[in-house]
Amino acid sequence: MQPRIPRQSPRDQAAHGRDDVPGLGAEAAAALASARRRAVRDGDRQVDTAHLLHSLLEHDPQVRAAFDGGPQLARLLGYLVQRSIGYGLRWQGGVEDSGAMPVVTAVAPSGRTSAAAAVADPDGAPGPTAVEGLSPLAAAALEQARDEAARRTGAPARGVDLLAAMVADPQARAVEVLTRAGVDLYELRARIEAGPQEREACLEGGGPAC
């Protein structure tokens, strides 16, 4: 029997935002949609970087290839699934934020006010408008991934772009999960930067970034 996935109510969908976010590739968009559903199912107030990490691992082969093989992935996924009954309970009453960026009211593309966060730089200039329903840190990572992909290739952001943006902030919940699961963040960043060919060489047991 297939597990029953709770249907989102219109109120849940509005609280966690829309899935049609521009500037995302197919895998990253699928991961974002899945992360929104997971947040609703777990009763979390926002989608955070741990939700995104979990969904990226499920939906994106390139993200999985950035990790050190099957045993590490199994350990990481095993830790992630414990969120709703364990360590994630302490996150439910808080907001994932690095503390380095002020949280302000953002304006959604429709023009209505959003409860999501927008980021301002240290000089006070307005930063990117956050995506609705995401924590301030997750929204900033998503925006960074889109900007970096546009700057580098002009293509939509991939899942590995989003992963790289998330692990760049030590305050991200995704970083906490990765650390507790025994993932070496330095090696993970090196494999992401090396690109898909080097990641494939790592999986075969060789390559300078391994």
Side-chain angles (χ1 to χ4, degrees):
M1 180 180 294
Q2 293 294 325
R4 180 177 180 271
I5 299 175
R7 179 178 296 177
Q8 295 186 39
S9 69
R11 180 177 180 179
D12 287 334
Q13 291 173 333
H16 289 82
R18 297 166 57 89
D19 294 334
D20 55 341
V21 177
L24 295 182
E27 289 82 4
L32 176 58
S34 175
R36 292 194 194 281
R37 292 192 295 271
R38 177 167 281 110
V40 171
R41 184 171 65 244
D42 293 348
D44 296 319
R45 60 188 294 183
Q46 291 179 323
V47 177
D48 62 26
T49 58
H51 290 123
L52 290 171
L53 173 64
H54 197 165
S55 295
L56 283 169
L57 288 168
E58 291 180 337
H59 289 274
D60 195 329
Q62 286 193 351
V63 168
R64 292 194 294 273
F67 289 86
D68 189 18
Q72 185 180 80
L73 281 172
R75 186 167 61 250
L76 177 55
L77 286 167
Y79 188 78
L80 282 163
V81 298
Q82 299 176 43
R83 171 178 181 149
S84 62
I85 59 173
Y87 63 91
L89 298 176
R90 61 185 169 85
W91 289 340
Q92 288 186 339
V95 175
E96 182 190 36
D97 190 1
S98 67
M101 303 173 185
V103 178
V104 298
T105 300
V107 178
S110 61
R112 62 185 178 84
T113 301
S114 167
V119 181
D121 67 24
D123 296 326
T129 300
V131 178
E132 291 181 90
L134 271 65
S135 72
L137 202 153
L142 188 65
E143 196 68 34
Q144 180 181 335
R146 291 189 295 185
D147 289 348
E148 178 62 22
R151 182 193 64 79
R152 188 183 63 252
T153 65
R158 305 164 300 165
V160 288
D161 297 320
L162 180 53
L163 178 64
M166 292 193 300
V167 301
D169 193 323
Q171 299 302 316
R173 290 175 179 174
V175 169
E176 179 178 338
V177 168
L178 290 166
T179 301
R180 289 182 177 274
V183 176
D184 187 308
L185 293 175
Y186 176 81
E187 291 182 1
L188 176 60
R189 293 185 185 109
R191 285 192 291 269
I192 293 172
E193 292 172 2
Q197 292 183 339
E198 190 63 51
R199 287 197 295 274
E200 290 176 5
C202 283
L203 291 177
E204 295 172 0
C210 303

